[in-house]
Amino acid sequence: MTQALDLPLLGLETDFPETLFLLFHPASQKYGCYCHDGVHGLASFSSEQGAFRFAEHIDLSGMMTLEVSFDEARDIAKARPMPIISLMLLDDIDDPKIHYVR
């Protein structure tokens, strides 16, 4: 008889909004990312205003916001090259919510 392990999957214990805002630079095809405590992730925000505030700290002109679903954001994070291993909700940059994608 098989027995299911009662262990949570990393990153699934936090609630992310259904709709997220990402920063995207069309000319270079790059997305806004962030590193928190050695964990690199695709930066996401629950509001467009939050994304624009974060963009002020990126030294790259021409950044735009993309409104995407959580699943789309997760797929974009998965497609990013290493060292990106997560999707980060940066509404509180000192305490980001981290969803691991690999």
Side-chain angles (χ1 to χ4, degrees), residues 5 23 27 30 42 69 88 91:
L5 295 176
L23 290 168
K30 292 183 179 182
L42 176 68
S69 70
M88 290 188 177
D91 290 344

Side-chain angles (χ1 to χ4, degrees), residues 10-101:
L10 287 178
L12 295 181
E13 65 277 356
T14 58
D15 292 323
F16 275 68
E18 288 295 317
T19 301
L20 295 167
F21 292 88
L22 309 178
L23 290 168
F24 180 65
H25 187 254
S28 66
Q29 298 292 297
K30 292 183 179 182
Y31 289 86
C33 294
Y34 189 68
C35 181
H36 178 77
D37 286 343
V39 177
H40 295 263
L42 176 68
S44 70
F45 305 87
S46 62
S47 72
E48 189 172 33
Q49 184 179 31
F52 280 132
R53 279 194 309 269
F54 184 77
E56 293 172 359
H57 303 286
I58 298 175
D59 190 23
L60 191 60
S61 63
M63 295 294 283
M64 61 180 275
T65 60
L66 293 178
E67 184 176 356
V68 298
S69 70
F70 170 78
D71 289 336
E72 290 169 321
R74 191 173 185 281
D75 288 342
I76 291 168
K78 280 180 168 180
R80 299 296 89 212
M82 291 299 279
I84 303 302
I85 61 168
S86 69
L87 172 63
M88 290 188 177
L89 182 62
L90 296 177
D91 290 344
D92 180 357
I93 203 156
D94 295 323
D95 187 25
K97 300 209 181 318
I98 300 173
H99 174 81
Y100 291 92
V101 296

